[in-house]
Amino acid sequence: MSPTSETRKLMYVFDELPIRSGLELVSAMRQRWVDATDLLDAWPDPPLKEWLRTRPDGDILILALDMEKSGGARLIRLQAEFDPDGPLEFQGARIDGESLERAIRDADPFNPESAADLTRFVQIELLRPQLNAHIETPRPSLSTQLGHRLHPMAMDVVRQIDSLQKSRLQSTRDRLQSMEQELVELQASPAVKAYRWLSDIRRDRILRSLAAVTEGPAAAKLLRADQRLSEWSGQTDSFLRSSVFSLHLDFWLSRPLSGQGGVDADDLRRSVRMASAPAERARIMLAYLFASALSSETPTEESTKAIESAASLLGTINAIEKMAPASGWCELWLRTRDAEVREKQEHLRQSVKELATQTYKSSPTDLGRLIPALPVMELLGMDMTRGLAELQARQKREAEQRAQREREQREAQERAERERKAAEKRADDERRERERLELETRKLRTADLQQRAFSLPSKTEGAKERITALQAQLSELRRQTGSMQEKIKSLEALLVQAAGMTLEQLEAHNMKLPRWQGYSPEPQDTNDRRQLVEQVGRVVLDARQDANKIQHELGKVSLTDLDALSPARLEKVRDAARSLTTAEGRKAHRQLEMADREIQEVERAITSITHHQRSLANLSEQIVSVNYRVEAASDKPREFVAKQRRLDIWSLAVAVPIGAFVGGIAGTFGGMILALMILWATGTNGNSPEWNLVWFGVVWPTVIVCAIFGAWRPIRDFQKNTPKVARG
């Protein structure tokens, strides 16, 4: 298109520059490439779009710009449209076959001169966003969060942690600053410049826009190269998003330290390296990808290495699974009972196997997947090979240990068998010796029991005379005990009358006089009553306890002990002693024990007779003492009960009229209020006959009922609060 064919009457302003022709627009945008790409990235720009419509074939140009996806590609279209005779530029540099070959040579990853700068630049480019995120992430101070909840001694530890975090953050800032300076120096390197230029060409799909403005076989070559680069870029992104990297790192972070010479630290560093190596290699090999995309045939040297590494990795994995089919890689990497860690191991195993299978089955032309996969396959292959060797060594060691354990078990069984036979022999010898000793002991014991059995009649002669006296004394004591309990009950009844409460209530109040409802004694009466109740109550409690003890002691005198001295029992004991000489074996032992028990029972019966005689003498003295104390304490309650009875009757005589009077007054007021409410509700006039009927039919019955209730209440309280013993 000739510039002279354009009209200059319409002006467009770009970055404060007046633009009247397409050539002026292209020249201005070439000089201000960044501003131009920013403007075209936001396409469509309405002023520029309307201005382009005024150019020849403007609508077709607008459609071409709409088809492009980046500002750089749109600028290539504008250059080809408005400056067809001039060179096409990208980011201030001419772009054609020669410039692309030169950039590929400068960014060649296999060139030692350029590889070092290019590798360092890619590493910084990947690491810088992580450091920036680490610095920009807000981290509240632990001392601010926990200061009000911590002990002062713990605050020193928290401050040290805060100081350590600040020092690490400052170290990260210093590291990032040094990396920025190094990055500025690396950007001047021809290899880095070529890498960045090629990276932007692939990102903006410049080769496709060049193919659109080129004619002939060169257009097909550029379009095929753009399609290959786009396809490989998608393969790379899909490979880098594989879950194996996050699962691998998460597994090693969740694994507990084993302390085996730093092996875990090496595994963790290798896992981190495996996560970053494919991204680094995919970027470093960008020039190789451009050369492969522009060539007529795709080279397969690098992709073949990745496929071979994947095949080797799959072989190692299959060998591991054959050696440990049940537990899988749990035996390879870590033996643990943690269900969460074992689940992570299983997910990692599946992901690694799927990634290796996918890489192995990839076509050699899938450079976007195979180039970043090569370091991953190599690292995983090293890991699996080392794990396979460890697994083989472990199984060999376990086989040796198992053989050692089996040998030790056989030796232990043989030793146990020898010890068992020796123990059986010792037990047999001990059994024979024990039987001999038991036989001698039984003979001695039989002689002793026979001597004791034949001497029992002489011992029981004196015991029989004491039995008759003991039975008479026991009957007399029981009679005295019954009389004593009757006296105690009589004293308890007097105490209940004196206190005005039941005996259980007195015991619950520790024999202190309470105030009961409807009665409030005078001060002098209260003091006398309390003093009387405390004195007599103490005597009652002591007497009751002594009576219970006496009754308990009488219960111990059992007639079964006396029956043991009967003539029939003695004859039975002598017969049992005589039969000992004819018994043998276990029967002899049982008869020996039986005779011993019979003789011991007779001897205990003789001994208990003497003990019961002494006990009955003591009980007789205790009964006399209790009777004396009960009779001495029975005088004052009788006098006090009579006085209390008179006071209660006088109190009741005063309370009944007062209650009737108070009830009548309350009934008068209540009846008047009720009558007025009835008259008001019915609307009755004061001069009508119904007035007197309602008045006398409601007020007087209410007064009578309330007076009866007021008089009945003191009588009810008197009956309720006066114990039955007192009323009787």
Side-chain angles (χ1 to χ4, degrees):
M1 179 185 297
S2 175
T4 58
S5 62
E6 298 183 49
T7 177
R8 298 182 61 84
K9 294 181 180 180
L10 296 177
M11 182 182 67
Y12 171 71
V13 179
F14 170 69
D15 199 16
E16 300 180 356
L17 294 176
I19 305 298
R20 297 182 182 276
S21 65
L23 183 60
E24 293 179 0
L25 176 65
V26 169
S27 300
M29 287 187 172
R30 284 172 177 169
Q31 295 175 2
R32 296 170 174 81
W33 184 272
V34 176
D35 296 335
T37 53
D38 291 342
L39 176 66
L40 295 176
D41 281 334
W43 179 263
D45 179 57
L48 178 58
K49 187 174 182 180
E50 294 299 325
W51 186 81
L52 290 176
R53 289 185 186 277
T54 63
R55 305 297 100 184
D57 298 331
D59 292 334
I60 298 176
L61 178 60
I62 291 173
L63 290 176
L65 295 179
D66 291 338
M67 294 174 61
E68 299 296 341
K69 303 299 181 182
S70 64
R74 295 187 182 101
L75 187 50
I76 294 294
R77 289 293 191 117
L78 290 176
Q79 293 181 67
E81 179 70 21
F82 293 121
D83 189 12
D85 299 329
L88 296 177
E89 295 184 4
F90 179 73
Q91 293 184 352
R94 182 172 182 171
I95 180 170
D96 52 17
E98 182 181 354
S99 61
L100 288 173
E101 292 179 359
R102 184 171 55 253
I104 291 172
R105 285 194 305 271
D106 292 340
D108 185 8
F110 303 106
N111 185 1
E113 297 180 358
S114 60
D117 293 341
L118 183 59
T119 302
R120 182 56 182 164
F121 177 80
V122 171
Q123 291 175 350
I124 295 176
E125 191 178 27
L126 293 173
L127 185 59
R128 185 172 59 172
Q130 300 177 9
L131 296 179
N132 283 325
H134 179 71
I135 293 174
E136 294 173 0
T137 302
R139 291 178 176 81
S141 173
L142 288 177
S143 59
T144 304
Q145 290 180 323
L146 307 176
H148 63 286
R149 291 180 290 177
L150 293 180
H151 191 272
M153 296 180 64
M155 279 298 298
D156 296 337
V157 179
V158 173
R159 292 191 185 97
Q160 292 178 4
I161 295 175
D162 289 340
S163 176
L164 182 60
Q165 289 180 350
K166 291 179 181 178
S167 63
R168 289 181 177 176
L169 190 62
Q170 184 61 37
S171 176
T172 304
R173 290 195 182 96
D174 297 340
R175 183 183 179 187
L176 183 60
Q177 185 177 2
S178 64
M179 289 175 58
E180 294 289 349
Q181 296 175 357
E182 186 179 1
L183 194 62
V184 173
E185 297 175 358
L186 291 174
Q187 287 175 353
S189 170
V192 175
K193 289 181 179 179
Y195 162 76
R196 297 180 64 189
W197 192 64
L198 293 175
S199 178
D200 293 341
I201 288 175
R202 183 179 64 174
R203 182 197 63 196
D204 294 344
R205 306 291 298 273
I206 300 301
L207 295 182
R208 189 181 68 174
S209 62
L210 288 176
V213 298
T214 305
E215 299 292 340
K221 178 181 178 181
L222 291 172
L223 184 60
R224 183 175 63 253
D226 178 77
Q227 291 176 350
R228 288 180 177 180
L229 290 173
S230 177
E231 180 183 357
W232 293 341
S233 178
Q235 292 175 356
T236 301
D237 293 340
S238 176
F239 182 83
L240 294 178
R241 288 195 299 269
S242 176
S243 61
V244 70
F245 305 111
S246 59
L247 290 174
H248 196 273
L249 183 60
D250 185 36
F251 167 72
W252 291 113
L253 288 175
S254 63
R255 174 180 175 178
L257 293 177
S258 62
Q260 300 174 355
V263 175
D264 289 342
D266 294 339
D267 291 337
L268 183 58
R269 284 194 294 268
R270 189 160 47 252
S271 180
V272 174
R273 175 60 185 163
M274 190 181 71
S276 61
E280 291 181 9
R281 181 171 173 79
R283 297 192 181 196
I284 293 172
M285 297 293 288
L286 180 62
Y288 177 80
L289 293 175
F290 264 86
S292 302
L294 292 171
S295 64
S296 58
E297 295 183 0
T298 304
T300 60
E301 295 85 359
E302 296 297 320
S303 58
T304 303
K305 294 180 183 179
I307 294 174
E308 292 175 353
S309 298
S312 176
L313 176 59
L314 286 174
T316 307
I317 291 174
N318 292 331
I320 291 174
E321 291 181 347
K322 289 180 181 179
M323 295 185 66
S327 56
W329 290 6
C330 298
E331 293 290 335
L332 171 63
W333 279 333
L334 178 63
R335 292 181 176 180
T336 177
R337 295 181 180 178
D338 191 343
E340 183 178 359
V341 176
R342 295 180 70 92
E343 184 178 0
K344 291 179 180 179
Q345 290 173 342
E346 181 62 22
H347 289 171
L348 178 59
R349 182 190 69 81
Q350 296 176 358
S351 299
V352 170
K353 192 170 183 179
E354 291 175 0
L355 184 64
T357 304
Q358 182 184 14
T359 304
Y360 176 71
K361 293 182 179 180
S362 298
S363 172
T365 59
D366 295 338
L367 299 183
R369 179 183 301 110
L370 296 176
I371 284 179
L374 178 59
V376 177
M377 295 297 106
E378 291 177 348
L379 289 172
L380 287 175
M382 294 171 55
D383 198 4
M384 294 297 103
T385 303
R386 181 174 58 87
L388 179 60
E390 292 179 357
L391 184 58
Q392 292 173 345
R394 182 188 303 163
Q395 290 187 350
K396 181 180 179 181
R397 185 169 58 254
E398 289 178 352
E400 294 175 354
Q401 293 175 355
R402 185 163 53 252
Q404 178 68 19
R405 286 195 299 269
E406 291 176 356
R407 186 168 55 254
E408 292 176 353
Q409 288 177 358
R410 287 195 301 271
E411 294 176 355
Q413 290 176 356
E414 294 175 357
R415 187 168 52 254
E417 183 66 19
R418 291 194 299 269
E419 293 177 355
R420 185 183 63 80
K421 292 181 179 179
E424 289 179 354
K425 184 179 179 181
R426 288 194 301 270
D428 190 36
D429 296 340
E430 291 176 357
R431 181 179 56 79
R432 286 195 293 269
E433 180 66 20
R434 187 168 54 253
E435 290 177 355
R436 186 184 65 80
L437 293 176
E438 288 179 356
L439 182 59
E440 294 180 358
T441 303
R442 187 163 58 247
K443 290 179 180 179
L444 295 176
R445 189 176 178 186
T446 300
D448 179 64
L449 288 176
Q450 289 176 347
Q451 182 180 1
R452 288 166 56 191
F454 294 127
S455 64
L456 285 178
S458 61
K459 293 182 180 180
T460 56
E461 291 298 331
K464 289 181 179 179
E465 297 178 358
R466 293 196 297 271
I467 287 174
T468 306
L470 181 62
Q471 290 177 344
Q473 188 177 5
L474 181 60
S475 301
E476 178 64 21
L477 285 178
R478 287 175 178 172
R479 186 187 62 76
Q480 294 178 3
T481 303
S483 176
M484 175 187 64
Q485 290 179 348
E486 292 295 331
K487 291 181 180 181
I488 293 174
K489 290 181 180 179
S490 176
L491 182 58
E492 289 176 353
L494 290 175
L495 181 60
V496 169
Q497 293 179 3
M501 298 179 67
T502 63
L503 190 61
E504 289 78 7
Q505 292 173 336
L506 290 173
E507 291 176 352
H509 291 80
N510 296 326
M511 292 300 177
K512 293 182 179 180
L513 180 66
R515 292 175 177 268
W516 61 87
Q517 185 178 2
Y519 178 73
S520 180
E522 296 297 329
Q524 184 63 34
D525 185 19
T526 301
N527 293 333
D528 294 342
R529 185 187 297 267
R530 182 183 296 110
Q531 185 177 3
L532 175 63
V533 170
E534 289 179 354
Q535 292 176 357
V536 178
R538 191 179 299 110
V539 174
V540 170
L541 289 179
D542 293 342
R544 185 190 295 174
Q545 292 175 358
D546 293 340
N548 292 335
K549 290 180 181 179
I550 293 170
Q551 189 70 26
H552 180 68
E553 293 295 332
L554 287 176
K556 292 181 179 179
V557 182
S558 177
L559 294 178
T560 57
D561 294 336
L562 305 179
D563 295 338
L565 299 178
S566 62
R569 184 66 175 274
L570 295 177
E571 186 63 26
K572 181 180 179 182
V573 172
R574 284 195 295 270
D575 292 342
R578 279 194 295 269
S579 64
L580 294 176
T581 56
T582 61
E584 297 179 356
R586 295 184 178 178
K587 183 178 179 181
H589 181 72
R590 288 195 297 269
Q591 291 183 357
L592 188 66
E593 295 295 333
M594 186 181 301
D596 192 7
R597 285 197 298 270
E598 295 288 344
I599 293 172
Q600 288 180 1
E601 289 180 2
V602 174
E603 291 177 346
R604 280 197 301 270
I606 294 173
T607 305
S608 65
I609 291 173
T610 305
H611 174 71
H612 289 332
Q613 285 182 332
R614 291 195 296 268
S615 299
L616 292 179
N618 294 332
L619 291 177
S620 178
E621 296 177 359
Q622 293 178 11
I623 292 172
V624 173
S625 176
V626 171
N627 287 332
Y628 176 75
R629 285 181 287 160
V630 171
E631 292 176 357
S634 300
D635 297 334
K636 291 185 179 180
R638 292 190 182 92
E639 299 175 359
F640 197 87
V641 165
K643 179 181 178 182
Q644 177 183 347
R645 184 68 174 175
R646 291 192 297 272
L647 291 176
D648 290 342
I649 292 174
W650 278 107
S651 175
L652 179 63
V654 173
V656 169
I658 293 175
F661 177 75
V662 173
I665 296 298
T668 301
F669 284 103
M672 292 174 65
I673 293 172
L674 182 60
L676 291 175
M677 290 177 63
I678 293 173
L679 293 173
W680 175 77
T682 57
T684 304
N685 190 3
N687 298 324
S688 63
E690 288 81 359
W691 175 274
N692 295 330
L693 181 62
V694 172
W695 184 264
F696 290 101
V698 174
V699 175
W700 284 111
T702 304
V703 172
I704 294 170
V705 170
C706 291
I708 293 172
F709 179 77
W712 171 76
R713 181 164 180 170
I715 298 173
R716 184 198 62 180
D717 293 341
F718 175 78
Q719 293 176 347
K720 180 179 179 181
N721 296 320
T722 303
K724 293 181 179 181
V725 177
R727 291 198 301 269

